[in-house]
Amino acid sequence: MSDLPDIKTWANDYPRGHVIALHAHAFCQLVFAKRGAMRVKARGGTWVVPPGRALWMPAREPHEVFCRTEVAMRTVYISDSVRLPFVASFAVLGVSALMRELIVRLVEGPVADGTRPHLLALLIADLRTGPVMPLNLPEPTDERLARVAGLLMEDPADRRGLDDWAVAAGMARRSFARRFAADTGLSFGAWRRRLRLLGAIERLAAGEPVTAVALEAGYDSTSAFIHAFRREFGVTPGRYFGAAP
C-alpha cells in the first residue's frame, strides 16, 4: 500500500444559496454531494453535481462552488500522483453504492489507521471504472459566442432559432454554427439542450414539480421534456433521481 497517494478529507453542510468563492487547492478533490445539488464554475465551463453524484476537480485549478439547494458536501483530497484517466480535468462521476460508502467512511469515520489504506485502494479502483457523466456545459471562448451563451444562460427558454442567434452574434449562419461546435465541442442545438437540462436537474433536485420545470426550461409539454431528458441522460427524470443513493 506504500504507493498510494496522500489524502485528506473534509465534511461540511451548507445552506441553499451559499457560495464558496474562487479558490484552488494543491490536491485534487473528489467532491461528493451526499445531499443536495451544486454548480461549480471553473476555467472552461460549468459542472452541475446532482445529489448522489461526485465531481473530480484537478489540483491547482481555481473554481467557485454554488449551492443550488441545501448541500451536504463530503470531500476527499487526493494527491495528483494518482493514476486516473481524468486526473487533470474536471469530471462529474456516477457514484456506485460501494463508492458512496467508501467516501462517507473515509470522511466521516471512524477509520482505524490500518484500514484507511485499504479503503483508499478500493476507492481509487472504483474511480477507475466509474462512468463520467455529461453534466458539464463548455464555455465558448469567442467573445461573440460568449455573448450569445450569456443571454441564453439568463433565459434558457428563449425560443429564437439558429439564424436569429447568428444575427445576434454578428456572424453568418454557417460560420456561427461551425465556430460554436469548434469552441465548445457541441453543436449549438446540443449545447442549448444541455443548458436547459442542467438547469432542470438543479430545480428537480430542489423538489420542484416536473411540469413546472419542463415549462421553465422552454419545453411545450412534460412529455417533450422527459423525452429530451431521456435522450441526454439515458433515463427519465424520476429514474435519474431515484438512482441517487
Side-chain angles (χ1 to χ4, degrees):
M1 300 289 182
S2 60
D3 59 342
L4 288 173
D6 296 330
I7 71 161
K8 300 177 182 179
T9 61
W10 170 259
N12 210 342
D13 296 347
Y14 298 101
R16 179 174 183 167
H18 183 79
V19 177
I20 302 174
L22 190 68
H23 67 288
H25 299 277
F27 281 64
C28 298
Q29 289 178 262
L30 179 64
V31 180
F32 173 56
K34 185 179 178 182
R35 183 181 68 253
M38 298 175 280
R39 176 177 288 215
V40 176
K41 186 171 179 57
R43 179 171 56 92
T46 300
W47 288 259
V48 169
V49 189
R53 276 70 175 184
L55 176 66
W56 179 269
M57 293 194 281
R60 295 174 291 278
E61 283 285 353
H63 56 275
E64 291 179 283
V65 181
F66 303 86
C67 296
R68 311 302 286 186
T69 66
E70 292 184 356
V71 170
M73 183 189 296
R74 302 296 180 262
T75 303
V76 180
Y77 297 91
I78 304 176
S79 166
D80 58 4
S81 64
V82 68
R83 294 182 180 179
L84 292 171
F86 45 76
V87 67
S89 58
F90 287 81
V92 180
L93 307 173
V95 174
S96 66
L98 173 62
M99 187 185 296
R100 181 188 189 282
E101 293 307 315
L102 289 169
I103 293 171
V104 172
R105 183 69 179 276
L106 283 166
V107 176
E108 298 180 0
V111 181
D113 290 342
T115 305
R116 192 177 184 88
H118 297 282
L119 296 178
L120 178 57
L122 284 172
L123 175 60
I124 291 171
D126 210 26
L127 283 169
R128 291 195 178 109
T129 59
V132 175
M133 310 184 78
L135 293 172
N136 68 300
L137 190 70
E139 187 176 283
T141 56
D142 185 298
E143 289 185 3
R144 297 166 295 180
L145 303 183
R147 185 168 64 250
V148 168
L151 291 170
L152 278 167
M153 287 178 183
E154 291 177 5
D155 183 13
D158 192 312
R159 293 179 180 272
R160 279 181 284 179
L162 180 61
D163 289 331
D164 297 317
W165 287 114
V167 170
M171 302 171 70
R173 183 183 194 276
R174 184 173 298 178
S175 297
F176 176 84
R178 185 172 57 246
R179 179 62 179 168
F180 204 99
D183 232 14
T184 66
L186 296 170
S187 70
F188 175 73
W191 187 94
R192 179 163 61 176
R193 182 170 61 250
R194 187 173 293 183
L195 167 69
R196 289 175 170 178
L197 292 175
L198 290 181
I201 282 177
E202 292 175 325
R203 291 191 291 274
L204 290 169
E208 295 184 31
V210 173
T211 299
V213 169
L215 296 176
E216 184 71 20
Y219 291 91
D220 293 327
S221 66
T222 302
S223 60
F225 167 71
I226 291 173
H227 175 77
F229 195 100
R230 185 191 291 116
R231 178 182 173 187
E232 187 78 4
F233 303 121
V235 295
T236 64
R239 290 194 64 186
Y240 186 89
F241 283 94

